[in-house]
Amino acid sequence: MEFLMLGPLEAWHGGDRVQLGDQQQRFVLVVLLLHVNRPVSTDRLTEIVWGGNQERRGLVRGYINKLRIAFRGAGDVAIETTPTGYLLRVDEDRIDTARFARLRAEAEAVRAEDPRRAVELLRVAVDLWRGRFLEDIDVDRVGGTEVMHPDDGYLDAVGDLAELELNAGDHRSARDRLRPVVRADPARQRHAELLMRALIAGGDRVGAVRVFHGTGAALAEEGVEPGPVLRKLVARAERGEPAGSLPSRPGGFTGREAELEVVEAVAATPGERRAVWVSGAPGVGKTGLAVEAAHRLRDRFPDGQLLVRLDGYTPNLSPVTVSDALTRLLVELGVPPEQVPASVNRKFTLYQTELYGTRTLVVLDNAHSPEQVRPLLPEAPGCLAVVTSRRVGEPDTGEQVRLAPLPAEDAFALFRTLVGPSRLRGRSADVTGVVKRCGHLPMPIRLAAAVFRRHDRWPLEHLLRLLEESGPWRADTSDEDGTAAVRVSYLQLDEPQRELFRLFGHLPGPDLDVVGAAALAARDVTGTRAVLDDLHEVCLLEEVAPERYRMLDPLKEFAAAEPPPTSPTERADALLRLLDFYLVGLSGAVGTAYPFDRAHLPAVHRTSRVVPVFGDKHDATTWIAAERDNLVAAIRCAAGRDLPGHVWRLAVLTWRHFQTTSRFEDWVETVELAWEVVSAEPDEDHGRAHVLLRLATAYDRLGRLDDALGLATRALSAWERLDDAPGEASALCSIAISLMQLGRHAEAIERFGAALGKYERCGDRRGQAHALSMLGVLNEERGHLDLALRQHRAAVPVLREVDHVHGLAHALNNLGTVQQRLGLADEALVSHLEAYDLAAGLGDDCLAAYALNYTGNVHRSQGRLAEAAHHHERARVVAADVSNTDLRTRLYLDRAATAQAGGDRVGALRAYRAALDLATGAGNRGHGARAHRGAAQVLHALGQHTDAAGHWDAAEAEFAALGQPEADEVRAEHAALTCGCR
C-alpha cells in the first residue's frame, strides 16, 4: 500500500487506486497518517475531526472499520486497536512524505563526495510532489500547529537540486525546474538567484534581467531590497562574460592526476576559505597544474576564474603587496579602477563583498609567504583559491600539495606528446635519457621538446648528447639536470637572440612589449619582433598579451646569471635605454591622454630611439594602464641607479593616472620616493616643486589634510622662487582644496580667486574652469546661488572645449544642483542627464549614480515623487558596488527627503539615521547637519518630540559652525514650535 500526501490525498495498492470514502473518513486517515506508528486516542480524533463535539465520538469506530475494509487486500498495512486508541501500522517508506524526507537526508549525506548520486536522489524526491501538501484537505483543521508542513522542504529540495545541476553544467534542467517556483513566488531570493544563474549559463541574459526586476518588485512590496547576490547577477547579465584572467591551458599537460584529484576534492567540499596550496621547486610545473585545474573546474566556478601573479620569487621584482594584489583582483572582478578604495582594509572588505554569493576561482600564482596570501583567500563558501609557491604553506592556507618531479613514465609521455610519436619510434631509451637529463621537470622537458621540434633534422641522440655536454646554469642552484635543457636552448640561439634573452633577465618590471624590447636591445622594432617570436617559439618567453612578453622566473634567474660575451656594461646601457623609453613614452602618453595637463608637464631631458605612437586618448590611457607596473618598477630602478631626473619625472607624470584610478599606494610610494631622491639634489629645483605639489595632492586624497596643506604651501614657495605662474596657480588650488575641507571657506575662496587670476594670465583654460567650478561649489554652500550659477555656467563650456570629460560631468552635476535650488528645474534636468550620459560613456558608476540621484531631486522639487523615487532607486542600484561614503550618504539623504515628501515618515527616518551614521563615521559635518535636520522634522511629525529636540539642536549648531545659511532656517523653524521639541 502506498499513501500519497504530497498533493491530493491518495492511496494505491497493486496499481489500483484505493477508495478512501467521504471527507470525514479521509480526515480520520490523515490524522492517523500524520501520527503513523503512534496511537491516537478516540478523544483526540474527535477533537481534531469534529472540533471536540462529543456527540460525534461514536463515529470514530465506524470510520476506522471502513478504513480497515478499504485496506483489507493489503498485507503491509493495518489499523490496530490499542489500550490508548488506534494505531496505523505501516512501513513509513510507504508514505511519500517520509520517503521524501529520507531521500533528502540521503542526498545531503552524499552531496559533497558524490554530487551525481545526490542529484539522482533529489530528482526522485522532487518528483514525488504532485501539488501542494494535502491540497484537498483542510490541514489546519486535521493537524493544527502540530503539523510540520513539508512545502518549505520541497522548495529547499528544488533549490538544492538546481544548485547541484548548475554545478554539473545542466543549466537547462535547473532552469525548467525553477521557473514555476519563481513565477509562483518571485520574492524567494534564493530561487531567483539560481534561476538567473541558469538563464545566464544558457545565454538568456535578457531573461535573467527580467527575473531580477520581477523579484525586485516583489521584494519592494515587502519593504526589502534585493540582496548582493541578485545585484551581482544582474550586473553580470548586463555586462556579459564573467570575470576572467586565466591563461590558456598548457599544451600537452600530462600526469598529476593524484594532485588534480586533491584540488577537485577541495572544490567539491562545502565550506569557507577553501584553498589548495601547491608548492615545489622551480620548473616543477606549479603554475601549469594550477591553470589546468582551473580550466577543468570552469563549470563548477562559472562566475569567474582569475589569476594574479604575486611575484614572490621573480628576479628584480619585489613581491606584490597585499594592497596591490587586492586592487588587481578588484579590477578583474569588474570594479572600475577609480572606485577601488584607498585603504587595505576597505579593499579587503570590498573584495570579499564582490565574491560573496558567487562561485569564483582565484589562482594566486608565485606567492612569497602565507602572510601575503591570507588576505587574498576568498571567504565566500562558493569560491576556491589555488596558491602556487616555492615554499610550503601553513595549515590555515589550505590543503597542501607538494609537487615532486614527474614520475619517469609521465615525463616520457609529456616529451612524446610535445614532439609527436613519428620521430621517436624505436627511441624509448633515448627519450628516457632526455627526460632524465631534464630532471623529469616539466619546464626543461618543454624547452628540450621545443628545440627538438625546431631542428627537424636532428636525431634524438644529438639532442641527448647536447644535454649531457651542457653544464649547469650559473644561478644559485644545484639542479644540474633540470637546467641542462635551458642551457641547450640558450646555446642554440644566435647572438641577437642570446643578447635579448640575457637582457630579459634584468628587467625591472614584470613584462615588456615589442617596442620596449627594441629600446632595451637598441634595435629596430621589426627586427626585435622577429627575435621575440623566435624566443617564444622555443618556449624561452611567454606571450602574456598580444606583443607583450614575460620570462618565467627560473629562466630569468638563468638569463641574469649569464655574463655578456663582450661588453661588461651591457646591462647598465640597456637599462638606461629602457628607462629613457619609459620616460619619453610616458610623457607622450600623458600629453595625449590628458591634453589639458600639457602646460604643467615637466620637460623631458632624455631621448629614445624608439617611442610608442598614440593615435588618440584611448591608445594613450591603454598604454599607461598596461605599463603601470613597469613604470612603478622603473621609478624604483632609477632610484637605485642614481638617476634622480628619471625618478621625479616618471613619478610626476604618472600622478594623473594614479589619481583617476585611485591607486593611492603606488601614487604615494612613488612620489615619496621621488621626494626622498630629489630633496637631496641641489640642482633639482623644478623637481622639488613638482614633487611637493603632487605629494600634497596625494595626502589630500588620503585625508591627511594638515600634511597636504603644509606641503602645498611649500610647493607654492618653490614655484614662486622659480617664477612659474602655472605652478603657482596649481599650488594655490591645492592649498584651497585642503582649506575647504578643513572648513576654512573664506580662506579657500581667497586662494581659488588668486589661482583663477594666475590661470587667466598664463592662458590655462582647464585651470580657469577648475578654479571657477570649485568657487561655485563654495558659493553654493554659503548660499550665494546666483554667483555660484554664473561660475558653473562659465566653467562648463571651457571644460567642454578642452575635452576634460570627467571634469565636465562633475561641473554639470554641480551646475544642475544650483539650477534646481534656483527653481530652474528643466535646465537642471538637462544638466544632470548630460552628466549621466558622459558618466555612462566613461564607465564611471560613481559619477553616474550622482547624476541619477540629482535627477531624482529635481523631480521631487516639482512634486513628481514617483519619478524621484524611481531615479533614486536607479542610483542605488548603480552605486551598489561603489565604495564611496559621500555618495552613499547623499543617496540616503535624498531618498529620505523623497520619502518624507511622500508621507513615508518611517522610511524617511530610517534613511536619515543611516545617513547620520555614515556622516558621523566619515566626519562630514555638512551631511551630518542635514541628517539631523531631516530626523528632527520627521520625529516631530511622528510625535516623538523628546527624541527630536536633540536633533534640532545638533542641526542648528552644525550649520552655524559651518557658516551656512541653513543655520538661520533651522533656528526659525525650531523656534516656531510649541511642542516638546523645545
Side-chain angles (χ1 to χ4, degrees), residues 723-931:
D723 193 25
D724 188 304
E728 293 174 34
S730 296
L732 284 165
C733 282
S734 184
I735 292 170
I737 289 171
S738 295
L739 289 169
M740 179 176 68
Q741 295 185 85
L742 289 167
R744 296 158 62 177
H745 290 181
E747 295 174 73
I749 288 175
E750 179 185 348
R751 298 302 196 285
F752 276 129
L756 178 60
K758 290 185 180 293
Y759 281 133
E760 289 172 344
R761 286 192 291 276
C762 63
D764 186 339
R765 302 277 288 157
R766 198 274 326 165
Q768 294 172 48
H770 172 62
L772 279 170
S773 182
M774 297 309 298
L775 284 167
V777 171
L778 280 164
N779 281 308
E780 181 192 354
E781 289 288 329
R782 294 165 68 86
H784 305 151
L785 299 183
D786 290 331
L787 176 57
L789 180 68
R790 291 196 300 273
Q791 289 168 332
H792 287 312
R793 281 180 169 169
V796 164
V798 176
L799 291 166
R800 202 185 301 279
E801 178 185 331
V802 300
D803 197 25
H804 187 7
V805 180
H806 268 102
L808 175 60
H810 279 293
L812 285 167
N813 269 335
N814 293 334
L815 172 62
T817 59
V818 176
Q819 289 169 329
Q820 181 224 318
R821 292 183 64 181
L822 287 170
L824 306 174
D826 291 341
E827 295 180 33
L829 279 178
V830 171
S831 297
H832 291 313
L833 291 173
E834 183 182 357
Y836 173 75
D837 289 340
L838 292 173
L842 293 167
D844 189 332
D845 287 344
C846 182
L847 190 51
Y850 275 120
L852 288 168
N853 186 59
Y854 293 148
T855 302
N857 292 346
V858 177
H859 285 299
R860 182 182 67 245
S861 71
Q862 300 303 298
R864 298 189 291 265
L865 298 184
E867 277 293 299
H870 170 70
H871 281 85
H872 290 322
E873 175 61 16
R874 286 183 63 194
R876 185 194 63 76
V877 172
V878 169
D881 296 322
V882 175
S883 181
N884 185 304
T885 302
D886 179 80
L887 172 61
R888 291 172 60 203
T889 311
R890 286 182 185 273
L891 293 181
Y892 274 121
L893 284 170
D894 294 328
R895 285 163 62 193
T898 298
Q900 183 180 0
D904 180 9
R905 293 167 182 164
V906 174
L909 182 60
R910 186 186 307 117
Y912 278 131
R913 283 174 169 165
L916 184 58
D917 288 342
L918 287 170
T920 302
N924 191 315
R925 300 178 71 184
H927 286 334
R930 293 183 179 89

Side-chain angles (χ1 to χ4, degrees), residues 251-257 406-421 424 427-428 430-436 440-442 445-446 449 453:
F253 185 89
T254 303
R256 304 297 192 197
E257 291 302 323
L406 289 169
E409 59 272 18
D410 288 343
F412 185 105
L414 174 60
F415 187 82
R416 189 175 186 275
T417 300
L418 295 171
V419 171
L424 304 179
R427 294 285 186 269
S428 295
D430 289 339
V431 173
T432 299
V434 167
V435 298
K436 181 179 180 182
H440 294 154
L441 296 173
I445 291 173
R446 289 179 179 279
R453 284 198 311 270

Side-chain angles (χ1 to χ4, degrees), residues 3 5-6 33 92 95-102 128 133 150:
F3 293 99
M5 293 192 287
L6 301 177
L33 285 168
E92 290 190 13
I95 304 173
D96 61 354
T97 53
R99 192 156 62 253
F100 172 74
R102 175 182 59 78
L128 292 174
F133 173 62

Side-chain angles (χ1 to χ4, degrees), residues 561-803:
E562 280 297 302
T566 53
S567 172
T569 63
E570 177 186 83
R571 172 190 177 189
D573 294 343
L575 284 176
L576 181 58
R577 290 193 298 268
L578 183 62
L579 293 174
D580 288 345
F581 164 77
Y582 284 135
L583 180 58
V584 175
L586 181 60
S587 178
V590 171
T592 303
Y594 313 108
F596 42 81
D597 275 343
R598 285 175 185 157
H600 304 280
L601 299 182
V604 173
H605 67 309
R606 301 287 296 182
T607 61
S608 176
R609 61 177 293 167
V610 291
V611 293
V613 178
F614 309 111
D616 54 27
K617 291 169 62 174
H618 178 265
D619 288 348
T621 55
T622 299
W623 185 86
I624 296 172
E627 298 290 354
R628 180 186 59 225
D629 293 339
N630 292 321
L631 293 169
V632 172
I635 294 170
R636 296 175 185 144
C637 177
R641 304 186 71 79
D642 194 23
L643 297 169
H646 288 77
V647 175
W648 75 260
R649 286 178 173 86
L650 286 168
V652 167
L653 286 167
T654 54
W655 87 272
R656 176 71 73 178
H657 171 76
F658 287 150
Q659 182 196 44
T660 56
T661 58
S662 298
R663 293 184 63 89
F664 296 112
E665 289 78 11
D666 283 339
W667 184 3
V668 172
E669 178 200 343
T670 53
V671 290
E672 285 183 338
L673 177 59
W675 175 246
E676 179 184 335
V677 169
V678 80
S679 61
E681 296 292 329
D683 298 328
E684 290 288 5
D685 293 333
H686 275 90
R688 278 190 291 277
H690 274 290
V691 173
L692 280 168
L693 180 60
R694 295 313 166 206
L695 192 56
T697 308
Y699 283 178
D700 178 85
R701 289 293 298 271
L702 291 175
R704 296 170 57 176
L705 300 180
D706 291 327
D707 292 338
L709 180 59
L711 289 167
T713 303
R714 293 174 64 187
L716 177 61
S717 299
W719 288 115
E720 287 174 342
R721 286 193 297 271
L722 293 167
D723 193 25
D724 188 304
E728 293 174 34
S730 296
L732 284 165
C733 282
S734 184
I735 292 170
I737 289 171
S738 295
L739 289 169
M740 179 176 68
Q741 295 185 85
L742 289 167
R744 296 158 62 177
H745 290 181
E747 295 174 73
I749 288 175
E750 179 185 348
R751 298 302 196 285
F752 276 129
L756 178 60
K758 290 185 180 293
Y759 281 133
E760 289 172 344
R761 286 192 291 276
C762 63
D764 186 339
R765 302 277 288 157
R766 198 274 326 165
Q768 294 172 48
H770 172 62
L772 279 170
S773 182
M774 297 309 298
L775 284 167
V777 171
L778 280 164
N779 281 308
E780 181 192 354
E781 289 288 329
R782 294 165 68 86
H784 305 151
L785 299 183
D786 290 331
L787 176 57
L789 180 68
R790 291 196 300 273
Q791 289 168 332
H792 287 312
R793 281 180 169 169
V796 164
V798 176
L799 291 166
R800 202 185 301 279
E801 178 185 331
V802 300
D803 197 25

Side-chain angles (χ1 to χ4, degrees), residues 497-517:
Q497 294 166 349
R498 290 186 188 183
E499 179 190 23
L500 192 53
F501 176 79
R502 289 192 303 272
L503 292 177
F504 256 80
H506 300 291
L507 288 185
D511 52 42
L512 195 61
D513 72 354
V514 172
V515 183

